[in-house]
Amino acid sequence: MSEIAIHLGILDKAGTPQLDPEEVTDEYIQSISIPTRAFLVLCSSELEEYVEARCLAFLSDCVKGADERLQHNCLHALSIHFRSNIGKLLDSGGFYVDFYSTVQQARRYARDIDAARKKAASSKTSSSGDSENVSDPPILNKKTLTAKLCTWYSEDVVASSHGISDSDLVGLLAPLGFSASLVRDQCGTLCAALQSLAAARGEAAHRSALSSGWPFTALPTPLSQQLSLRDTWERWQSVVDSIHEFEALLQGNAESETEC
C-alpha cells in the first residue's frame, strides 16, 4: 500500500505523507479527489481480504489443531450460529445422525430402514410391484457436520461480508466464538481505526466525485483533516498500527477459553 500511496502522490518518494495545505481551497479539494478515492477503496479491499483470510485460517486451525478444547468451543459457537441451517438439514431427512457413529453402524442402520420400507411397501404394492433398494443414508457425524459448518461459514458469513468497519469485524468473529464485547474490549484501538477508515471509504466508494460536498460530507470537522492527503494516509496507518490487536485476539484464544 505504501507503493500505491507513493504512486498516487499521497506519500512522497521517501515514503513521507504530504504536508497539509495551510488553507483548504476548492482547487485543492478537486486535485485530491481521485487519489484519495482510489487509495481508500484499494486499501479497504486489501484489509477486508486479509481479515477474512485470517478468520478462515483460524477456523482451519481450530478444526485441524490438536487443541480439543479450542476445537470444541469454535464448533460449538458455529453450531449455535447455524442452528437454523442444521434444523433444515435434519428436517430434510435421509441422514443417519450420530456424532460417534462408524460406517458399519450407518450401513446396519440403512439395512434396518430398508427392511422396514420393504415391509411397509409390500402390503401396499401390487402383485407386480417390488420396492426398490435404498442406498446407505449419508452419515451426519462430527466430521461431516464440521465440514458443513465450515462451508456455511465461508459461504454465508465471509462471502457476504462487504465492509471493513468494526461491526464487520465483529460479524466475522462472532460465529467463531468471539463475543462482540470481547472483540471491542481487546481490539479497542483497532475498532476506532476501522470506524474512521470505513467512514472515509464509504464516502469514496458510494459517492460520485462530481456530487456536491465531495469528498467527505459525512465526516466530522475540521475540514482540513477531512480533505488532506495526510489524513487519508493516517486513517490507513492507524489500522496498520493496531492490527496487532486482532492478531493477539486470535492468538490469545488458543491460550484462554473462547467466549461463546
Side-chain angles (χ1 to χ4, degrees):
M1 292 310 303
S2 296
E3 294 181 3
I4 293 175
I6 291 173
H7 181 75
L8 293 172
I10 295 174
L11 302 179
D12 61 24
K13 292 183 178 180
T16 303
Q18 297 286 5
L19 295 176
D20 294 342
E22 294 183 1
E23 180 181 358
V24 176
T25 63
D26 291 340
E27 290 75 14
Y28 175 74
I29 294 174
Q30 184 63 31
S31 69
I32 69 169
S33 62
I34 293 177
T36 53
R37 290 182 74 204
F39 183 77
L40 287 167
V41 172
L42 285 172
C43 72
S44 298
S45 178
E46 291 292 325
L47 175 64
E48 182 179 343
E49 183 175 353
Y50 172 78
V51 171
E52 291 173 354
R54 289 294 294 118
C55 288
L56 288 171
F58 174 82
L59 174 57
S60 178
D61 290 342
C62 288
V63 172
K64 299 178 181 178
D67 190 334
E68 294 184 359
R69 176 195 55 79
L70 181 61
Q71 182 186 82
H72 169 80
N73 290 340
C74 183
L75 295 180
H76 177 66
L78 281 173
S79 66
I80 293 175
H81 183 81
F82 290 112
R83 55 187 177 274
S84 62
N85 297 53
I86 297 174
K88 293 177 182 178
L89 183 67
L90 296 177
D91 287 342
S92 66
F95 282 92
Y96 174 80
V97 183
D98 187 345
F99 282 175
Y100 302 98
S101 67
T102 63
V103 174
Q104 290 74 17
Q105 288 174 320
R107 287 175 177 171
R108 184 167 59 251
Y109 171 81
R111 287 194 296 269
D112 293 342
I113 292 297
D114 188 28
R117 287 176 178 174
K118 287 181 178 179
K119 182 177 181 180
S122 63
S123 61
K124 299 179 181 179
T125 187
S126 62
S127 58
S128 60
D130 292 326
S131 59
E132 297 181 353
N133 292 332
V134 295
S135 59
D136 293 351
I139 306 174
L140 189 62
N141 55 17
K142 182 178 180 180
K143 181 179 179 180
T144 55
L145 181 58
T146 295
K148 289 185 178 296
L149 289 172
C150 292
T151 299
W152 290 334
Y153 178 77
S154 177
E155 295 178 350
D156 297 355
V157 177
V158 175
S160 63
S161 179
H162 301 295
I164 44 86
S165 69
D166 57 320
S167 59
D168 294 311
L169 180 64
V170 171
L172 288 169
L173 289 173
L176 299 178
F178 297 89
S179 68
S181 59
L182 178 65
V183 175
R184 298 185 189 281
D185 179 63
Q186 299 297 317
C187 302
T189 304
L190 175 61
C191 285
L194 289 175
Q195 285 180 323
S196 175
L197 181 63
R201 182 264 185 191
E203 291 281 313
H206 302 297
R207 186 184 297 276
S208 168
L210 300 178
S211 64
S212 61
W214 166 258
F216 302 137
T217 58
L219 301 184
T221 55
L223 288 178
S224 61
Q225 293 184 10
Q226 295 180 33
L227 304 172
S228 70
L229 294 173
R230 175 182 288 270
D231 177 68
T232 300
W233 174 255
E234 288 181 348
R235 288 175 189 270
W236 163 250
Q237 195 60 45
S238 294
V239 174
V240 174
D241 292 342
S242 56
I243 198 70
H244 65 88
E245 295 179 343
F246 170 63
E247 294 293 345
L249 180 66
L250 297 182
Q251 182 63 32
N253 188 68
E255 300 172 359
S256 60
E257 189 169 352
T258 308
E259 292 191 15
C260 297

